[in-house]
Amino acid sequence: MVKTKYLISSFIALGCACAASAMTPGEAKAAFEAGDYAEAVETLRAIADKEPRNASAHTMAGIALMRTGNPDAARKYLLKGTNEAKIHLAELDFYDYDFDAADEWLDKYATAQKKARKPESEEAERVRARIETGRSMLDRVEKIAIIDSIAVPREDFFSFYRLASSAGAIEAPSALPQGFSAADPTTVYVSEDGSTMLWSAPDADENFGLVQSSRLADGSWEAPAPLGTVLNEGGDANFPFLMSDGVTLYFANDGENSLGGYDIFISRNDGEKYLQPQNIGMPYNSPYDDYLLAIDEETGIGWWATDRNRMTDSITIYRFVPQELRINYPVDTENLPALALVKDYRATWGDNDYTTLNDRVKSIRHTRRERKADFRFGLPDGSVRTSIESFHSAQARSLMQDYLDQSRKIDDTRAYLARLRAQYRSGNTSASADITSLEAELPRMKARLKEIAGMIVNAEM
């Protein structure tokens, strides 16, 4: 079963639009322990309001409110909670980039634990590590001009990236050849010439990793090849974008070097493999999900998507002006946390006018592939046929149908042969004769397929 991983903030930070049904206290507690915070939040809140001295109830209500996108209300309950609540108060300050205040809450928590002769929880250690990561990032916030911000539907957000053809294209998984697996969700990067595709696919353990496929001379696609486990960093790698140099790769990862959820990373290929990726830091990344950074060198505009604004059915896309050399804000810049969080993207403009750049984006004709190719059949002149109807010759159209029928026969024979081999390994030696016969038949079938392909080329050229 393929793992379906929707963007983390969609369910944890954003909450649920549906109204919570009435629950008993026992049901609410069970839902809370199962992580169904949206179901439990109203009942837990009612219990805490009714029992003002019930610290455990206030802690659960505060956590549920925080996880369903209501941090202000969460703080009120957590302040009356157990010692564990201090971890989540630290988390709330972490989300606001008030790292010193977050540290103070964790110190108070640690003091109380020590006094009670109890060890600190793993959760406290994780929050402390995230605080240190955030503090380090806040010391090197890149100074970029964010020229626009748009809220778009979550489901097909990538369709709002308007890229010049020289930057390649970003497509839905439906653009992949038939039979290729893909993560859910993911996007497919297609190079300018259409010869290379990059996307995320689940491995045997249902972890997401980046893969690549290149188009072969006959128009078919090679088997997807992993780009390297170095890109995974103990998490899921997703949403790739390859720069036109064919070397620089941007992608999202939620592993141990992430500030929270998906962060955007950069890696480069040394000609043989991709090198250790680097987190590109703030303002691109946040404690929420940030992903699919794309840079269009022709228009001079970059794009990235983020969940930091915590909208239930939508996400935010920022357009920005990329820099050739990274320039960071001085660490003593006024309102540095607000700039890192992108509280107001217009604060990054200064005295500049970006009307021309925005008009350049609007002038790009944006098209989407509405139909997935039925197949890809390459011809010697470099053209590719993608459907029976795309052939000019009636004879070629008829032969192409024969080619497809023969391809299906080969696939069916391979599948049947695999089953027979499995039976033989299980002790059914009677399958031996059929295995031998099919192994001899397959080369003849492939030769016939090649013969039909040659006939198609002769008929069409």
Side-chain angles (χ1 to χ4, degrees), residues 165-227:
S165 59
S166 59
I170 300 170
E171 301 288 348
S174 59
L176 293 172
Q178 187 175 5
F180 282 15
S181 64
D184 182 11
T186 192
T187 50
V188 180
Y189 169 79
V190 184
S191 61
E192 178 185 7
D193 62 3
S195 65
T196 303
M197 296 190 295
L198 281 71
W199 71 99
S200 180
D203 63 16
D205 297 320
E206 297 189 353
N207 297 312
F208 295 170
L210 298 183
V211 297
Q212 174 178 311
S213 178
S214 298
R215 193 173 65 198
L216 302 174
D218 65 355
S220 64
W221 290 84
E222 66 179 0
L227 295 189

Side-chain angles (χ1 to χ4, degrees), residues 87-317:
I87 301 173
H88 303 286
L89 286 165
E91 195 174 355
L92 288 176
D93 286 330
F94 164 76
Y95 289 144
D96 289 333
Y97 293 1
D98 190 345
F99 302 125
D100 290 341
D103 272 338
E104 289 179 10
W105 282 116
L106 288 181
D107 289 344
K108 291 177 181 179
Y109 162 81
T111 299
Q113 290 294 101
K114 185 176 181 179
K115 185 176 181 180
R117 297 183 179 181
K118 295 180 179 179
E120 291 191 38
S121 69
E122 292 183 2
E123 186 172 13
E125 294 176 2
R126 284 194 295 268
V127 173
R128 198 181 292 278
R130 292 178 72 191
I131 291 170
E132 289 309 307
T133 300
R135 181 178 280 114
S136 175
M137 285 189 183
L138 195 60
D139 287 341
R140 46 187 178 85
V141 179
E142 186 171 357
K143 188 176 183 180
I144 57 171
I146 301 173
I147 62 177
D148 201 5
S149 168
I150 54 174
V152 302
R154 181 180 302 278
E155 183 177 356
D156 61 348
F157 74 95
F158 58 89
S159 67
F160 293 86
Y161 284 49
R162 292 180 176 268
L163 304 176
S165 59
S166 59
I170 300 170
E171 301 288 348
S174 59
L176 293 172
Q178 187 175 5
F180 282 15
S181 64
D184 182 11
T186 192
T187 50
V188 180
Y189 169 79
V190 184
S191 61
E192 178 185 7
D193 62 3
S195 65
T196 303
M197 296 190 295
L198 281 71
W199 71 99
S200 180
D203 63 16
D205 297 320
E206 297 189 353
N207 297 312
F208 295 170
L210 298 183
V211 297
Q212 174 178 311
S213 178
S214 298
R215 193 173 65 198
L216 302 174
D218 65 355
S220 64
W221 290 84
E222 66 179 0
L227 295 189
T229 56
V230 69
L231 302 180
N232 290 23
E233 294 208 317
D236 288 332
N238 209 337
F239 303 107
F241 181 84
L242 188 64
M243 294 290 290
S244 58
D245 61 8
V247 171
T248 307
L249 175 70
Y250 289 100
F251 67 100
N253 186 283
D254 62 357
E256 58 186 16
N257 291 317
S258 166
L259 183 60
Y262 277 123
D263 273 11
I264 300 168
F265 288 75
I266 184 173
S267 179
R268 291 181 173 86
N269 195 302
D270 65 0
E272 296 182 359
K273 63 184 182 303
Y274 280 98
L275 304 177
Q276 183 69 39
Q278 301 295 319
N279 189 309
I280 66 172
M282 298 175 181
Y284 310 99
N285 294 321
S286 71
Y288 304 98
D289 284 315
D290 304 276
Y291 43 92
L292 193 55
L293 186 143
I295 295 178
D296 186 339
E297 294 173 291
E298 183 173 330
T299 62
I301 292 177
W303 308 68
W304 95 86
T306 178
D307 266 333
R308 69 186 65 190
N309 295 318
R310 290 166 284 176
M311 297 175 288
T312 304
D313 299 318
S314 303
I315 62 172
T316 301
I317 294 177

Side-chain angles (χ1 to χ4, degrees), residues 317-386:
I317 294 177
Y318 289 122
R319 289 205 298 259
F320 68 100
V321 181
Q323 302 181 105
E324 290 188 12
L325 295 176
R326 181 175 179 126
I327 300 174
N328 296 334
Y329 285 102
V331 293
D332 59 352
T333 298
E334 186 179 2
N335 296 324
L336 185 59
L339 291 167
L341 281 165
V342 195
K343 290 287 189 180
D344 179 7
Y345 72 88
R346 295 176 184 83
T348 68
W349 287 6
D351 297 326
N352 297 305
D353 182 0
Y354 295 102
T355 303
T356 302
L357 271 180
N358 280 318
D359 287 345
R360 195 179 301 172
V361 174
K362 295 175 184 177
S363 69
I364 297 174
R365 183 179 179 184
H366 184 61
T367 58
R368 295 182 62 190
R369 298 179 184 179
E370 296 296 338
R371 177 183 174 183
K372 184 174 67 174
D374 296 330
F375 53 81
R376 301 187 72 88
F377 187 91
L379 295 170
D381 64 357
S383 62
V384 178
R385 302 293 186 263
T386 59

Side-chain angles (χ1 to χ4, degrees), residues 393-429:
S393 163
Q395 183 183 5
R397 289 195 290 271
S398 177
L399 287 167
M400 190 65 212
Q401 188 60 62
D402 293 339
Y403 182 94
L404 295 174
D405 291 341
Q406 184 71 5
S407 295
R408 281 190 286 270
K409 289 178 182 177
I410 292 174
D411 290 341
D412 291 342
T413 300
R414 284 172 171 164
Y416 183 48
L417 183 58
R419 291 195 296 272
L420 288 176
R421 286 169 174 164
Q423 293 175 15
Y424 184 85
R425 288 194 296 270
S426 299
N428 182 10
T429 57

